[in-house]
Amino acid sequence: MKRLEALVALAREGTVSAAATALGCGQPTVSHHLRRLEEETGAVLVQHVGRGVRLTPDGVRLAARGEEILGLLRRAEAELDTMTTLAAGHVRLAAFPSACSTIVPRLLSTLADTAPGLTFDIVEVEPPAAAALLRLGQVDVAVTFAYSGQHFDDDVTVEHLGWDALHLVEPLRSVGGTIAEGRACGEREATGLRPEELRKFSDDRWIAGCERCRTGLLDLCASVGVEPDIGFASDDVVAVQALVAAGFGVTLLSALALAGHRNPGVVTHPVVGAGRELHVATYGAPPRPAAVEEVVQTLLGLSWSA
């Protein structure tokens, strides 16, 4: 394991001296571990270039696997630390941005009463990154989402948490000197827009998330024959709503995003049947550590559909 740590540190830091600093040891120790690893594997892992070194293709591959192995070891250590009691349990929680401002505070508030000894590290990441952190053993639980047709790998255990509806968001519009609701107003605000009614906005400019985060918008528009003219891109729901309120376009946002922040200058309309499924995800199969199980069961016991 020490030899793998040296290889992974070299891959991450780029130089033997930086790897030694990260590991808290001397350069000769790192060089020794790398030489012994080459002897044990029979592979050339490190190539000398000038005064420095770089990993060979074999070294790069082994370093990637080594990071996974070391992540599993860290996970095993964390599980042992929290296996026996909740009195001092520590949980590393990942959640996507709008969940951090809605689901996570409610979760922590509930656990403050039921398991006051738990402590948390919270990291804000999108679902693909959360799954990677689970595999590397860097987080214990992830609150994630998936649109229709998206799936997680078999090594991630996923449980249904709720439904997060998509809403069409448009600006308030001035009529006769007063503020009136937009084109989709009236009964549709209460009953929701039918997906085909998005065609009303086919001539509008759209505000979307980044390339990775606009799946829901593009798939829904494509299903009704709308090709959105995307004029702005941002994953910041505050900025997106401000752009809509200022009249720069329309967008689709989830109910959780709107619950976390609602600009008074916009009107929202739920799109019937459109949304994403919310999940709680852990790595591997149960049984889970006591602290992790407490967090998962608390999440499952609360209602999140919106």
Side-chain angles (χ1 to χ4, degrees), residues 13-288:
E13 304 296 334
T15 67
V16 172
S17 61
T21 300
L23 295 174
C25 63
Q27 293 184 43
T29 300
V30 172
S31 297
H32 169 75
H33 284 316
L34 294 173
R35 285 195 302 270
R36 289 297 306 274
L37 189 59
E38 288 186 320
E39 293 171 2
E40 293 168 357
T41 60
V44 177
L45 305 174
V46 178
Q47 179 183 20
H48 291 271
V49 180
R51 295 185 178 181
V53 297
R54 67 182 180 188
L55 296 183
T56 65
D58 286 343
V60 171
R61 283 190 288 269
L62 183 57
R65 290 299 186 190
E67 190 165 19
E68 293 178 5
I69 292 167
L70 295 172
L72 287 173
L73 281 176
R74 287 192 294 269
R75 179 176 175 80
E77 291 171 352
E79 288 178 353
L80 289 174
D81 287 342
T82 59
M83 192 69 73
T84 57
T85 178
L86 291 178
H90 184 77
V91 177
R92 298 163 300 170
L93 176 66
F96 57 94
S98 56
C100 282
S101 62
T102 53
I103 292 177
V104 171
R106 186 177 169 197
L107 168 69
L108 298 185
S109 178
T110 301
L111 288 171
D113 295 328
T114 60
L118 288 183
T119 59
F120 291 85
D121 287 334
I122 299 170
V123 58
E124 181 181 289
V125 292
E126 296 292 344
L133 292 177
L134 284 171
R135 293 188 186 94
L136 292 173
Q138 295 179 3
V139 299
D140 306 300
V141 185
V143 178
T144 67
F145 65 83
Y147 291 103
S148 176
Q150 295 179 328
H151 304 284
F152 293 87
D153 293 338
D154 292 340
D155 57 353
V156 177
T157 297
V158 175
E159 297 175 70
H160 176 78
L161 206 55
W163 178 254
D164 191 15
L166 284 178
H167 291 240
L168 186 283
V169 184
E170 63 170 330
L172 288 170
R173 303 178 190 278
S174 178
V175 178
T178 63
I179 296 297
E181 294 178 355
R183 281 162 293 174
C185 63
E187 293 184 0
R188 295 193 186 94
E189 177 124 23
T191 61
L193 277 171
R194 297 186 305 276
E196 57 269 23
E197 290 181 276
L198 292 178
R199 294 171 188 149
K200 296 176 183 288
F201 303 89
S202 58
D203 293 332
D204 284 80
R205 179 164 286 188
W206 287 73
I207 304 163
C210 68
E211 293 287 344
R212 186 189 65 228
C213 300
R214 62 181 65 169
T215 303
L217 185 154
L218 294 179
D219 288 350
L220 182 59
C221 287
S223 71
V224 294
V226 174
E227 185 174 349
D229 174 17
I230 297 175
F232 301 92
S234 173
D235 292 329
D236 184 335
V237 297
V238 176
V240 168
Q241 291 185 56
L243 287 170
V244 172
F248 287 104
V250 298
T251 191
L252 287 175
L253 289 176
S254 75
L256 282 180
L258 292 167
H261 172 77
R262 175 68 180 264
N263 189 307
V266 304
V267 183
T268 67
H269 316 279
V271 182
V272 177
R276 56 193 188 180
E277 188 176 6
L278 301 174
H279 301 110
V280 55
T282 55
Y283 184 77
R288 292 179 280 240

